[in-house]
Every structure is written in structure tokens, then in C-alpha cells.
Amino acid sequence: MTTLGSASAVCYRKHDHEYQERNYQKAFKCDGCITQGSGKRYRCDHCGRELHKQCRFPKQKISHEFFKGSSFKFFEEPQTECGNGKCKEHGRCCDVCGKDICGFNYHCEDKGWDLHPCCNNLPKKLCIDETIFEIKKGVSSKCMWCDQKTVSGGSKNIPGWSYVSNCRRYHFHVFCVMELLHGAADKNGNLSLENMNLNQLAKSHGNGKVEGKLWRIAKLILKTILSILMGDATTMLSHVVVDFLVPS
């Protein structure tokens, strides 16, 4: 005799998901890439499964400007050396943010590179308050959040990328922005910038004070990067100019 619980599990695995676009402020964890999201998502009301737009409509193959000659394929599980996507010993990390790959991902078989679907969508340039930011793989300045040049707490083999202003005054690790996002989701269940603890930004500047323009730019760039990482680029401020990499 089949129990109700096991029958429900079979239904969950085998039914055809019927995704509808939804938009809630409440945070969610994408059932595709297993990273945080907020705002717009695609939800199956039969089982509650929710996906970022990038995970609902992935491209089977892409290339990326920052990985010259690269060819990435879409996979639903991490491509570990042992073939077990859940193996922690051979786990994979995103080459952009340095966070673990736990679900949907783009993987380059030739070079071993990995990208979260939303990290793959990060823009090449941002122009905020007349300040131009570019995403870079290697930097010489300290992150305004963690006050370190290299990512602290990320994979030891993956340096992660950063947004750095052309004037060199402002620098944010993508990893640190992800940490801010996850912390807010765990504590508040809501990823609006108003509910996020930005005290660390002041602490990293010694005297605990942050000048007006610096604070304004920091909040704008955090909101912009967070909206993209959460899979909801529509929440970006209208006066933030974005130059996307536009993966093919």
C-alpha cells in the first residue's frame, strides 16, 4: 500500500510543472540554482517550486566576454570530478562570486569554469551618480565592505570578481554583496535594501562614519548588483546606466 507521503513525493517528482510569473517582495530560494531571490519569480502552484527567470529560461550554450574562447553548457547539477553533483569533497564554486554551485549552472568543460545563471547576467559597467564602475577579475584596492583585497571566506581557489570605480575610490567584492543578500534573507525574509544591515560599511572605515556621497553611491551600487543577483533586474533604479555583457 502506498502512503500519502510517498505518493506526494512521486507527484512532486513526476508532474509537469506549470510555471506562472509571480511578483512578491518576500525572499525565496530558487529551486533551480539554490541561491536567493526576491521580487519576480516563476512559480508552480501545484508543488510550490520557484525559479529565477534565468533558471526558468536557461540557454543551453553560452559564451562569456571575460572567458575568452569559452563555451559554457547548461547543467542542472554541479559537474563534479566524481560525477556526484552532491559530493562536497569535489564541490564546484562560481568563478564570479566564489559561492558554491549547488544546482543549475553553466559549466565550461574545457577549462573547468562555472557560473551561477544570475552571476552570468551581471553587467560589465555601471554608471552611478556620474561614477563609472567596471567588473574586474583582479584588483589592487580593498573592498569597501570587508576591507580586504581578496575575498574573505570564499573558495581558496577562486578569487571572485569585484566592481571597481574608475576613480579607484570604490570597490565591492561580488562575494561580499552575496553575503549581504544571504544575511538579510535569513534575518528578515525580505531583501529590500532598507532592511539590510549596512553598519559594516561604516566599520570598515575606522571612524564609523561614511561621507554623504560615498554612502549614496554605496547604496545605489548595492541595490543594483543585488537586484541582478536576485534575478530581478527590473527593480534597478532608472537613473543607473547599465552596460550588460550580453552573453551569446
Side-chain angles (χ1 to χ4, degrees):
M1 180 177 179
T2 303
T3 64
L4 178 61
S6 61
S8 298
V10 171
C11 176
Y12 178 85
R13 289 196 302 268
K14 292 187 176 181
H15 81 269
D16 291 329
H17 298 293
E18 297 180 7
Y19 291 106
Q20 300 293 327
E21 184 178 313
R22 298 283 188 265
N23 197 336
Y24 314 122
Q25 287 303 309
K26 184 178 179 180
F28 72 99
K29 181 168 285 188
C30 175
D31 289 294
C33 64
I34 322 298
T35 65
Q36 295 290 346
S38 182
K40 186 179 295 184
R41 81 283 309 265
Y42 287 81
R43 177 182 173 87
C44 175
D45 291 332
H46 295 298
C47 63
R49 184 176 170 86
E50 294 182 315
L51 299 175
H52 292 126
K53 179 180 180 180
Q54 289 80 3
C55 293
R56 173 70 181 94
F57 302 107
K59 297 180 180 179
Q60 294 307 306
K61 290 185 179 181
I62 64 169
S63 59
H64 198 289
E65 182 178 326
F66 276 12
F67 298 98
K68 298 297 183 183
S70 61
S71 177
F72 290 84
K73 293 181 181 178
F74 175 77
F75 293 94
E76 293 191 356
E77 290 189 345
Q79 298 303 291
T80 60
E81 294 179 8
C82 63
N84 180 357
K86 295 180 174 60
C87 175
K88 293 183 179 180
E89 181 181 354
H90 299 95
R92 311 290 303 182
C93 295
C94 174
D95 283 274
V96 174
C97 70
K99 289 286 190 178
D100 291 342
I101 295 286
C102 299
F104 289 7
N105 67 96
Y106 289 105
H107 176 70
C108 178
E109 295 175 306
D110 290 340
K111 302 294 185 180
W113 292 319
D114 300 274
L115 302 173
H116 287 126
C118 289
C119 288
N120 175 61
N121 201 43
L122 283 169
K124 177 181 178 180
K125 290 184 180 180
L126 299 169
C127 184
I128 298 175
D129 204 10
E130 299 182 350
T131 301
I132 298 175
F133 289 82
E134 291 190 61
I135 196 167
K136 296 181 180 293
K137 290 187 285 185
V139 296
S140 58
S141 58
K142 292 182 179 181
C143 172
M144 293 177 62
W145 187 260
C146 69
D147 201 31
Q148 301 292 323
K149 291 182 181 179
T150 57
V151 170
S152 176
S155 167
K156 62 181 180 180
N157 297 318
I158 298 176
W161 295 2
S162 301
Y163 275 100
V164 184
S165 65
N166 285 0
C167 65
R168 304 297 180 186
R169 293 188 64 195
Y170 314 111
H171 168 201
F172 290 95
H173 291 132
V174 175
F175 176 89
C176 292
V177 178
M178 290 284 280
E179 287 285 276
L180 175 65
L181 187 157
H182 292 157
D186 292 340
K187 184 177 180 179
N188 304 308
N190 187 307
L191 296 181
S192 66
L193 197 60
E194 289 72 18
N195 290 334
M196 294 181 183
N197 183 4
L198 301 180
N199 291 334
Q200 183 65 31
L201 183 63
K203 289 179 182 178
S204 69
H205 285 73
N207 59 10
K209 297 181 180 179
V210 181
E211 61 182 274
K213 182 177 181 180
L214 168 59
W215 188 260
R216 182 171 65 254
I217 290 178
K219 293 185 73 172
L220 287 174
I221 192 170
L222 285 171
K223 184 168 185 176
T224 304
I225 298 172
L226 284 169
S227 68
I228 299 169
L229 289 174
M230 291 186 296
D232 187 16
T234 60
T235 64
M236 289 188 300
L237 302 181
S238 60
H239 57 276
V240 175
V241 180
V242 180
D243 179 10
F244 282 100
L245 289 166
V246 191
S248 58

